Amino acid sequence: MSARSDIGIIGLAVMGQNLALNIEDKGFKVAAYNRSTEKTTNFIEKRAENKDIKACYSLEELTAELTSPRKIILMVKAGKPVDLVIESLLPFLDEGDIIIDGGNSHFQDTDRRFRELKEKGIHFLGTGISGGEYGALHGPSLMPGGEKIVYNQLEDIFTAIAARTDNGPCVAYLGPGSAGHYVKMVHNGIEYGVMALISEIYDIMRKVLDLKPAAMAEQFQSWNQSQNSFLLEITVEILKREDPETGRPLIDLILDTAKQKGTGKWSAEEALDLGWPVPTITAAVNSRSLSSFKAQREKINSRIGGWTKTDLNQQDFLNNMESALYLATIIAYSEGMTLLASASSKYDYDLKLAEVARVWQDGCIIRSDLLKAIREAYLTEDFFHLLASDQFKSDITGNLSALREVVTQIKALRLPIPALSSALDYLDMLRSKELPANLIQAQRDYFGAHTYQRRDKAGSFHTEWQDIHNI
């Protein structure tokens, strides 16, 4: 069989199918394979019958169908399945062929696969893909990392299928090794944080202000006129949706337990390892975990009670919540960008954070006009933290009192708002000239002789806090 397809896709769940259709729509020939023969056949018959997409029913057939060097995108579940597919592919590949992992793989797995495949003469690109099913079909945000010379061979396809803004296609070569998957991990961490912030504002609206879903949708829609946030946009649609069976708002029928796939947790773990905490993102991860203990929460509520009710001026408090959500969202983004800066230094990614912000401006889940301002800050200023930039100084000073007011009043009602509270604490700590860490270090020296530094002279010091001879 003569080779004819420009690129292959392995994994035909909805994301893989939509990506294949997107690539074909841009003028490239696609070979598609799924381990399940039935899924491959159904895809061709139901969605790709008149498309230039070749159905392949074995890895040998897929690789024989591709032009050289072969380019193969893996759209399979992260973890062991990626390794198994790569292992199965290797007998049919030649030196110089390229494997692209388009899943949410852990960046350390990506580094390992890069090294192992390089020893065999096979190129590997860890490529974060964001935008969900719609983005895969109509234009995702793409975050590739690996060897630049290898990315160059995929650039025409990636550029063609990516979402576009006035600043160009939402794709860029981000850096060596696992840079692309690391950026995607942090993207998802920010996503966790913003989703948690929005959900906490929703909870205040329904419990404290007694707003119905339709009224909440109007508020979020009004607020989103200035932010143009995808997550706010879908929140509006969710709150408007009625259950076809009961006619009730669908949101009122959805159980309050949220799941997670791990990328948010990875972001929080990485932040702790690198020494740059991301408390808003971590609070979001913890919130999802706690939400799963539904039965336990109900038992504790029955024993010690929950939140209390009060009367608030609805319009004044709504105005404060708009400002609080906006500032807390800026803080969540700043946590992610600072984590990227720290990782770039440790792992030699040489990330261009202005370019990361540009790639996220459309096609991805955290797309928002806020990213335009973030990009501008990194292009025009030199700062150690996004919250210290001139670009956001007025946003912080103009909205901080509102965030503090919301957190103060809602905490008094015993309503949990961990993400909003953490965002405020994070900002307050960053702007504190003095923190109580001196006492912590003294305690460490007391029980473990860990030493401390002094304000008045250089060096490390230890105090004999206890008379150990009399113990």
Side-chain angles (χ1 to χ4, degrees):
M1 180 185 295
S2 60
R4 56 179 292 276
S5 294
D6 301 299
I7 194 164
I9 291 185
I10 296 177
L12 295 176
V14 177
M15 279 289 289
Q17 290 185 22
N18 285 358
L19 197 65
L21 291 169
N22 184 356
I23 294 172
E24 190 275 343
D25 182 63
K26 302 305 184 297
F28 300 96
K29 299 176 181 178
V30 180
Y33 167 80
N34 194 84
R35 185 178 61 174
S36 165
T37 297
E38 182 181 4
K39 183 164 287 189
T40 304
T41 301
N42 287 341
F43 168 55
I44 297 299
E45 292 181 350
K46 295 180 179 179
R47 303 193 66 193
E49 184 176 10
N50 298 314
K51 304 290 185 181
D52 201 355
I53 297 177
K54 167 70 174 178
C56 298
Y57 294 94
S58 70
L59 293 178
E60 184 175 12
E61 182 183 2
L62 175 81
T63 52
E65 170 67 19
L66 298 174
T67 57
S68 183
R70 300 179 180 90
K71 306 173 184 69
I72 303 172
I73 301 178
L74 308 186
M75 298 298 293
V76 300
K77 186 178 179 181
K80 189 65 176 177
V82 177
D83 290 317
L84 292 174
V85 172
I86 292 173
E87 183 180 345
S88 300
L89 261 177
L90 284 175
F92 309 109
L93 298 182
D94 296 321
E95 187 173 337
D97 288 345
I98 304 169
I99 296 175
I100 305 105
D101 179 8
N104 280 330
S105 290
H106 193 283
F107 75 97
Q108 291 176 342
D109 286 337
T110 300
D111 281 328
R112 170 180 56 81
R113 290 166 186 147
F114 177 86
R115 292 191 301 268
E116 292 173 350
L117 289 169
K118 189 171 185 178
E119 291 176 358
K120 303 177 188 301
I122 305 300
H123 299 300
F124 188 72
L125 282 182
T127 302
I129 301 176
S130 180
E133 299 170 8
Y134 182 90
L137 182 61
H138 298 285
S141 171
L142 298 169
M143 294 154 260
E147 294 177 284
K148 180 65 162 62
I149 193 171
V150 178
Y151 168 76
N152 291 343
Q153 298 181 63
L154 275 299
E155 187 173 14
D156 57 342
I157 296 176
F158 282 177
T159 299
I161 67 172
R164 304 189 74 84
T165 70
D166 292 341
N167 294 317
C170 293
V171 59
Y173 170 74
L174 295 178
S178 58
H181 273 147
Y182 199 101
V183 169
K184 179 56 163 58
M185 177 189 74
V186 174
H187 165 283
N188 286 19
I190 295 170
E191 176 186 308
Y192 272 54
V194 177
M195 290 171 71
L197 293 168
I198 295 172
S199 72
E200 290 175 13
I201 294 293
Y202 151 79
D203 205 32
I204 297 169
M205 284 180 173
R206 65 171 174 167
K207 291 178 179 176
V208 179
L209 301 183
D210 289 324
L211 294 184
K212 301 302 180 186
M216 291 186 242
E218 289 183 8
Q219 288 298 324
F220 282 120
Q221 189 166 28
S222 173
W223 297 353
N224 198 36
Q225 289 178 3
S226 59
Q227 295 192 40
N228 194 26
S229 157
F230 173 73
L231 286 170
L232 282 177
E233 178 185 318
I234 66 170
T235 299
V236 172
E237 295 302 313
I238 290 167
L239 293 172
K240 287 181 177 180
R241 186 64 58 92
E242 291 186 353
D243 174 47
E245 295 182 14
T246 65
R248 295 173 58 188
L250 181 58
I251 189 63
D252 291 344
L253 301 175
I254 296 176
L255 189 67
D256 58 323
T257 57
K259 298 181 180 180
Q260 52 188 316
K261 291 186 176 181
T263 45
K265 179 171 71 75
W266 295 344
S267 294
E269 291 171 343
E270 257 297 288
L272 290 174
D273 287 343
L274 296 181
W276 260 113
V278 289
T280 310
I281 293 170
T282 302
V285 174
N286 291 336
S287 292
R288 291 200 192 188
S289 297
L290 279 168
S291 76
S292 67
F293 296 99
K294 176 70 172 176
Q296 293 89 335
R297 288 188 286 114
E298 290 178 342
K299 288 180 181 179
I300 293 172
N301 176 269
S302 68
R303 291 175 64 87
I304 61 176
W307 65 284
T308 59
K309 195 82 169 75
T310 192
D311 291 325
L312 295 170
N313 183 296
Q314 186 177 99
Q315 191 55 56
D316 287 346
F317 205 71
L318 282 170
N319 291 338
N320 280 340
M321 286 200 295
E322 179 181 10
S323 297
L325 177 59
Y326 178 64
L327 177 53
T329 299
I330 293 173
I331 293 170
Y333 277 88
S334 75
E335 290 177 8
M337 300 306 285
T338 303
L339 178 55
L340 287 178
S342 179
S344 182
S345 177
K346 179 174 181 178
Y347 301 122
D348 295 322
Y349 289 149
D350 193 26
L351 293 174
K352 305 296 187 292
L353 296 183
E355 192 70 344
V356 171
R358 185 192 67 77
V359 167
W360 287 347
Q361 282 182 17
D362 202 358
C364 70
I365 304 302
I366 64 169
R367 61 184 183 266
S368 165
D369 282 352
L370 181 59
L371 286 158
K372 296 178 181 178
I374 293 174
R375 176 175 182 262
E376 183 65 20
Y378 281 108
L379 283 175
T380 59
E381 299 181 51
D382 184 19
F383 47 79
F384 79 98
H385 195 291
L386 190 63
L387 294 180
S389 72
D390 291 337
Q391 184 76 36
F392 291 103
K393 183 176 181 179
S394 62
D395 286 322
I396 294 171
T397 58
N399 295 291
L400 181 55
S401 62
L403 176 57
R404 194 177 307 284
E405 184 73 13
V406 169
V407 170
T408 300
Q409 293 205 42
I410 296 304
K411 294 305 292 181
L413 302 179
R414 303 198 296 268
L415 196 66
I417 46 170
L420 285 164
S421 300
S422 296
L424 177 60
D425 283 339
Y426 182 65
L427 179 57
D428 279 343
M429 289 191 75
L430 279 176
R431 68 198 199 100
S432 293
K433 291 178 64 176
E434 294 270 347
L435 289 171
N438 53 331
L439 177 57
I440 293 172
Q441 195 60 27
Q443 291 168 333
R444 295 182 73 244
D445 189 57
Y446 188 107
F447 63 69
H450 293 294
T451 74
Y452 55 85
Q453 295 173 295
R454 294 176 58 108
R455 300 173 189 264
D456 55 350
K457 52 187 173 182
S460 295
F461 300 88
H462 168 63
T463 293
E464 292 294 341
W465 301 95
Q466 307 173 77
D467 185 354
I468 59 174
H469 301 290
N470 293 326
I471 294 179

